Amino acid sequence: MSRTLRSTVLAAAAAAALTLSGCAAGTSDDAAPADGEGLGTLKVGALQTPAGDILQHIAETSAAEAGLTIEFVPFTDYNTPNTALVDGSIDANLFQNSTFLETFNEAAGADLVSVGEAYLPSAAYYSDKVSSLDELEDGATIAIPNDPTNEGRALLLLAAEGLIETTDDVVDLSGITANPRDFEFREIENATLPQALPDVDAAFVTISFALPAGLGSDKAILLEGEDSPYYNVLATTPELEDDPRIEKLYELLTSQATADFENETWGGLVVPVVNG
């Protein structure tokens, strides 16, 4: 994400919104929900992987039974889903952690809220040149995201391994207090990090961009653990926080059925949150 928040929503993304529940196999427009109570339609913005895949699975299974229609609005970057939520183009989004949300609110003067944590999209350091962290040479070039949340996230992961030292609240390179191995860091737009991999020794890539680029655990040299604080949250506006549609979606997102789908689909790269 660039440091400057853009004010416009991707028109093409909104135009390409797909109503997933209504067109799901085995459902019809006039089918009555199992509980006899129709909740209506909820427009949810997200990147395609993994959030869009999770939303599609819910839309085609449990959402229809609950009387909830999920209209998925796809986005391709981290800049626009929050501005879309602020201007009312969507009702909720699923792409960011709470730190990212707080950073956006402070920068944009917004008041978006988190309904709760939904899953951890594990991030990792990947490499085309080495097969383990120990093989990184002194002076190695490491690419990291250039947005305050994920840049700090990338640096903290290296600090946890003892490769660098940082302040507790590190958000960018100025938070590095010791770099004994003289790593050279390149700050790069998050979405383009997979393409930068051939030109660096290692790159920190979040799962939304790693999976579409074919980056799996075989190329990961350092994987984020389940104790990470960067779980993605379902976000919405204060006005919709207690809306029955939002509450139902969060219930479905954190169900055992959804957790089973995430485990079967991504084999641990997406860490579920299960409530109840």
Side-chain angles (χ1 to χ4, degrees):
M1 179 178 93
S2 62
R3 295 184 184 279
T4 303
L5 294 166
R6 302 186 187 108
S7 60
T8 58
V9 182
L10 289 177
L18 304 174
T19 304
L20 299 174
S21 290
C23 64
T27 65
S28 62
D29 292 339
D30 58 356
D35 60 4
E37 182 180 338
L39 293 174
T41 299
L42 194 66
K43 297 177 70 175
V44 187
L47 279 69
Q48 179 61 56
T49 301
D53 300 320
I54 295 170
L55 290 170
Q56 181 171 5
H57 171 75
I58 292 174
E60 294 174 347
T61 55
S62 52
E65 295 178 359
L68 176 66
T69 298
I70 299 173
E71 186 175 320
F72 169 44
V73 182
F75 292 86
T76 58
D77 61 54
Y78 286 174
N79 297 319
T80 47
N82 276 335
T83 54
L85 187 53
V86 168
D87 71 21
S89 299
I90 55 178
D91 303 309
N93 64 41
L94 182 63
F95 80 101
Q96 64 192 321
N97 55 62
S98 58
T99 301
F100 191 104
L101 179 61
E102 292 166 5
T103 300
F104 172 83
N105 280 339
E106 291 175 5
D111 59 354
L112 301 180
V113 297
S114 165
V115 178
E117 293 180 344
Y119 62 89
L120 172 66
S122 298
Y125 278 95
Y126 297 90
S127 179
D128 283 343
K129 298 183 173 65
V130 299
S131 58
S132 73
L133 202 63
D134 295 337
E135 295 178 15
L136 280 177
E137 297 181 355
D138 291 353
T141 301
I142 300 175
I144 57 177
N146 67 350
D147 66 83
T149 299
N150 287 305
E151 184 165 355
R153 180 182 184 181
L155 294 173
L156 283 172
L157 191 55
L158 289 180
E161 295 296 316
L163 297 179
I164 61 173
E165 295 178 13
T166 69
T167 59
D168 292 338
D169 57 351
V170 57
V171 296
D172 56 30
L173 297 179
S174 67
I176 297 177
T177 57
N179 182 12
R181 297 185 58 185
D182 295 321
F183 292 137
E184 177 187 342
F185 292 98
R186 292 185 186 175
E187 299 166 291
I188 296 176
E189 178 79 18
N190 203 335
T192 64
L193 280 163
Q195 289 72 46
L197 198 55
D199 301 320
V200 297
D201 295 300
F204 182 87
V205 188
T206 55
I207 195 171
S208 293
F209 301 116
L211 290 177
L215 295 176
S217 57
D218 59 323
K219 285 192 175 182
I221 60 172
L222 179 57
L223 182 65
E224 200 170 33
E226 294 185 13
D227 58 346
S228 168
Y230 296 103
Y231 280 73
N232 274 7
V233 301
L234 178 66
T236 188
T237 63
E239 295 76 17
L240 291 176
E241 185 176 7
D242 298 321
D243 188 291
R245 298 169 299 164
I246 296 289
E247 292 178 343
K248 177 57 67 174
L249 175 58
Y250 184 66
E251 175 187 326
L252 299 177
L253 279 169
T254 57
S255 68
Q256 185 60 54
T258 299
D260 291 343
F261 167 77
E262 292 166 351
N263 286 328
E264 292 168 4
T265 304
W266 293 292
L269 289 178
V270 175
V271 180
V273 172
V274 179
N275 292 324

